[in-house]
Amino acid sequence: MSQLTKRMCYSILLLFIAICTYSQPSSIIEGVVADNNGKPLTGVLVKLKGSTLSATTDLSGHFSILGENGAKLEFSHPDFYYMEVTYKSQKKFIVQMSERMLQHSSITTLTGEQSAENMVQAVGHIGNNQLSTSPSSQLMGRLAGRIAGLNVSFSSGAISGFDNSGLSVGVRGSRATTVLIDGVDRTYTSIDPEQIESITVMKDALSTIMMGHRSSNGVIAITTKKGDMGAPRFSFTAERGFKQANALPDVLPAWQYATLKNEAALNDGNKAIYTADEIAAYKNHSNPYLYPDVDWYDELLNKNASTQRYNFNVQGNGKGFRYFVDLDFMREEGLFKTRSENNFNTNEQMNRFIIRTNVGADITPTTHLQVNLFGRSMRYNEPSEGKAAGSTGTGKGTNGIFTDLLNTPANAYPMLNADGSLGGNKNYGESTNLWGRSTYLGHQFTDVRDITIDVVATQKLDFLLKDLYLRVQGSYNNSTNYLTARPIDKFPVYEYTPNASTLYYKWGDDSGEQTSNGNAISRFRTTYFKGEIGYDHTFGKKHHVTGLFMADHLAYLKFQDKQLPMQYLTLGLRGSYCYDNRYMIEVAGSRGQNSWFAPDERWANYWAAGASWNIHNEAFMEGLSFMSMLKPRITYGLTGQANPTYYGYLQTYTLTNDNRNDWYYFYGETGKGTFENNLASPNLRSEKAKKLNIGLDLGFFNDRLTISGDYFYNKFYDLKATPNFTSVLLGASYSQINYQKIDYFGGELTATWQDHIRNFNYFVSGNFSLSKNKTVYTQEVAKDYPWQIGTGKASNIRYGYVADGLFRSQEEIDACTAVLPSAPKSVLRPGDIRYKDLNNDGVINQDDWGVIGTNKPQGGWGMTIGFSYKGLDFSALLQGTINREVYMNGDFMNGFGNGGKNNAYAYNLNRFTEATAQTATQPRLWLGSNTNNTQVSTFWLKNADFTRLKNIEIGYTLPTKWTRKIYLPSVRIYANGDNLLTFSEIFDVRKDIDPEAWGATYPIMRSFNFGISIKL
């Protein structure tokens, strides 16, 4: 090579090196990535935007990457929102990432953590973020609409010291639901969300099989926080808010009540009750003490009820131990107005104190000890609404007042007379004034105390076999509910009598005194012991094997029942194999015992198996880069549920009491004796279910879009029920036996899209569930007609008559060929309900009585949307139902109950009259009894599907460059609310109700909440 050529090559090489050197950053950017609580984050991918340079944070959250001032860095992690940050030569470069609202990287099961990618079981899962957006004091209430297959419904909006008060929870129609907290059965669910790490809903046989005699149940597994590695991190949250009734009954003012009552009396063939002058006096309020017009709901209830909650927690680690400590206080007020003269509170009020301490310590390098302590103290106060001491102990309380509010007409009596005394009259005598019942009759309160202790020790047995371990656990739970009543038994009322010798006539006397009494509502203790030996090892990077053998014992003792404890003993075995993150197989079995069954029936065996295939990890899928997940899965198993009666296999007898009516007469002598209780059931055994689940998990575009669908078919059999094929000649009551069969089947779908546009992160997630049940076999007496047969239809069907509209005229009544024998044509009036003569025999009787209501699948749905952008975050939850039907009848619909003494409502203004004969959809009005119109029938079945704006939260996290100047890693202010808007077809029937609760029920509440969260 010539010298010229060498020099040219050398010059080109130097130029290339110079270009490369110029194009690469010449300095190093170092920093730390943490969450909003200051916890260092490991595994965060840090990229220099516009280049191929990247780094990953270590265990302390530290990273270093080549870059210069002004460089844009991208931060991404599966469980946190994407961030793009510009480096500005900060001395302390700290990046704080916010947790994703929706994250499922790992899921807690009965046997430990599993990755979502290799999950075979059918489960639903949510993290803490979704729980904290709702202000509800009931944890289960925060789950409504968030998980496919989980049904949470409400029957009341009342505050209470009792867990799950006013709501019900079900999983895929399971006949029972078990709540586990850190793996142990618990009865308390009114707890704060800050102590919760995640919640898993277990739906299929494989996920619950290790529970033995409780494996048929739906399982809700709550995992609490255990503390993280790092320096102490403190968190303080303060919230204040208020609640309002979603709907209250729209009662009629006095003049309309009187007008309609006259009409009802005339419809019954009686004389009018009120004169035109009296109605006019009610309307113009000329004498409110003689002609009262009281809006009782407005007089007794406040528009708003206040709430407040404060939470403080700290977590971190020391040398060889980790800790999480949580303190929480919550107060909820009710709607009742109070009297300042009282030295006691007659409003509803719930005060709740909670403390949780979870500490984990490494006793040795191979021995770990976890100790969890939980304590809760609640007091629920309410008006006593009067009973004397020495009675059963309590008044009717809140529920009684809401019943009285519903039933008391506006013209019953004035709330207060002109002199301030309580109004009343001969029809509403002593102690009946509603304001008096709410504020004069004392109060009562329920104290709830809970304490739990969990101790878990884990020993690694690597000296025997690598990744072999032994774990033992003991748990003690004690709960007490004690009711204290301090009632005043009576108070006088005064009737305004301007034309009498005295201006006010006194009903009752002033001798009412406040007394005090109390009793334990319930006290129960749960003890739990568990031992397991497990193995979790990967061979050669591709073969992952796990195995587990466990034995546990659960004893549940209710002291108030004066019974021996119900005891469960379970032996379980589980094994799984995963090859190369592609093929997963899992099998498990359990053997359960229940102490209340007969000795020969106490034990039963259960099993389950499942498999899944990660097709997206196959080599032939490499060309389909857009598909990040393609996993079919299937599980099948035999599960069980123990549902025994208390040692029902033994025949028992009862000694007659001191009431001589229960004594026996024998040869002229009377005396005490015994009588036989229900017949013994020595063959009663556990209920069982064969459960099939077929699922498909899909992921697209690096899991920005995920879809998960499940089909299930659960065949329950050996269900306990009272036999129908019996004989009255036996002279004794029959016990329940195992014979019913009911199938539950349906489908679920969850779809989620999560993505970002630079720092704008957003998500949309929806879930949909549809299920149905069918009675396969029951001891149904032979029926003459097909419409009477319940077998083959839903297990919760209703029986009644089929309504055929209303009689529009007297001519239609005269021409009718079939009426009820108890309601002959002579008592029928236009506007009464007509019934179909299904068998055409000319009479409406039991032969026309059959299955009514929908037989369609029922279900629910939820949709969550939200975004996060430069500290601003927003989320909203919509929830709805599908094919929901309710039965609405009774005085709330008819008006003028209790022989005409009770209330009437705006709904009744649309009743049948001569003017509306051709268009009316409601029956005529009546007073007293009406045999024809009060029959169970399709007339009162209504579609009650609804869509709720269940929850909204909007928050703003102050910029860290501000907060870190005052040594606060994160300060967030936020507002959220529950039940903000409701849309329902039931509003076409009447608008003064909520689709889930109406009438005398405490109303469903709309909540508004404001808070601040400080982390340091």
Side-chain angles (χ1 to χ4, degrees), residues 30 49 69 139 182 186 219 284 295 307 313 362 402 439 454 590-591 657 727-728 823 835 852 854 894-895 933 996 1012:
E30 293 189 74
K49 190 172 183 179
N69 184 36
L139 178 62
D182 291 330
R186 317 285 190 184
V219 176
N284 59 35
D295 185 338
T307 63
N313 64 73
D362 295 323
F402 270 93
T439 62
D454 299 336
S590 62
R591 179 169 171 79
N657 57 32
S727 172
V728 296
Y835 301 106
I852 61 174
T854 182
N894 305 328
N933 290 355
E996 293 186 284
I1012 183 170

Side-chain angles (χ1 to χ4, degrees), residues 195-320:
Q195 65 179 273
I196 297 171
E197 185 74 34
S198 65
I199 296 180
T200 303
V201 177
M202 303 175 186
K203 311 178 199 178
D204 66 341
L206 188 59
S207 61
T208 64
I209 197 65
M210 300 294 278
M211 296 189 66
H213 268 323
R214 295 167 295 149
S215 55
S216 284
N217 298 357
V219 176
I220 300 175
I222 301 169
T223 303
T224 63
K225 296 178 180 178
K226 302 300 187 296
D228 288 313
M229 303 297 291
R233 294 180 298 281
F234 300 90
S235 175
F236 174 74
T237 300
E239 297 180 343
R240 294 294 298 264
F242 62 92
K243 301 186 297 181
Q244 302 171 336
N246 246 5
L248 290 170
D250 188 1
V251 298
L252 291 177
W255 74 272
Q256 284 185 317
Y257 173 84
T259 301
L260 265 62
K261 194 167 185 178
N262 278 352
E263 180 183 314
L266 295 172
N267 286 343
D268 288 346
N270 300 317
K271 295 181 180 179
I273 299 171
Y274 299 96
T275 66
D277 289 342
E278 290 173 327
I279 293 175
Y282 284 129
K283 188 172 185 179
N284 59 35
H285 300 156
S286 58
N287 190 337
Y289 305 108
L290 195 59
Y291 300 100
D293 183 15
V294 182
D295 185 338
W296 290 110
Y297 282 96
D298 186 62
E299 295 292 349
L300 265 67
L301 303 183
N302 290 306
K303 300 296 183 184
N304 301 318
S306 66
T307 63
Q308 55 184 297
R309 189 173 74 88
Y310 306 95
N311 180 273
F312 172 80
N313 64 73
V314 57
Q315 60 181 314
N317 77 294
K319 187 175 181 180

Side-chain angles (χ1 to χ4, degrees), residues 61-181:
H62 179 268
F63 72 92
S64 61
I65 189 172
L66 289 174
E68 298 177 342
N69 184 36
K72 292 184 176 180
L73 301 180
E74 299 176 310
F75 299 83
S76 58
H77 188 282
D79 294 335
F80 291 81
Y81 286 125
Y82 168 91
M83 287 190 68
E84 184 178 303
V85 179
T86 301
Y87 175 66
K88 297 180 180 179
S89 300
Q90 297 98 318
K91 291 183 179 180
K92 290 185 177 180
F93 187 33
I94 302 175
V95 177
Q96 289 186 196
M97 301 183 72
S98 299
E99 284 187 276
R100 286 180 179 268
M101 177 67 73
L102 310 175
Q103 50 174 282
H104 308 292
S105 57
S106 63
I107 298 173
T108 301
T109 69
L110 290 180
T111 55
E113 294 280 331
Q114 291 192 28
S115 69
E117 183 181 24
N118 293 335
M119 178 68 66
V120 179
Q121 305 166 14
V123 300
H125 178 85
I126 65 172
N128 174 269
N129 278 1
Q130 295 182 69
L131 299 174
S132 60
T133 63
S134 169
S136 173
S137 62
Q138 295 283 1
L139 178 62
M140 294 297 107
R142 297 172 183 256
L143 301 181
R146 296 193 181 275
I147 300 177
L150 178 67
N151 177 49
V152 180
S153 59
F154 296 81
S155 59
S156 168
I159 63 174
S160 174
F162 301 101
D163 297 297
N164 290 340
S165 175
L167 61 87
S168 61
V169 181
V171 180
R172 286 186 173 179
S174 292
R175 300 168 65 82
T177 301
T178 298
V179 176
L180 305 177
I181 298 182

Side-chain angles (χ1 to χ4, degrees), residues 535-551:
Y535 180 68
D536 190 332
H537 186 73
T538 300
F539 297 91
K541 297 184 179 181
K542 290 188 176 182
H543 304 275
H544 183 215
V545 177
T546 69
L548 178 73
F549 173 76
M550 57 78 65

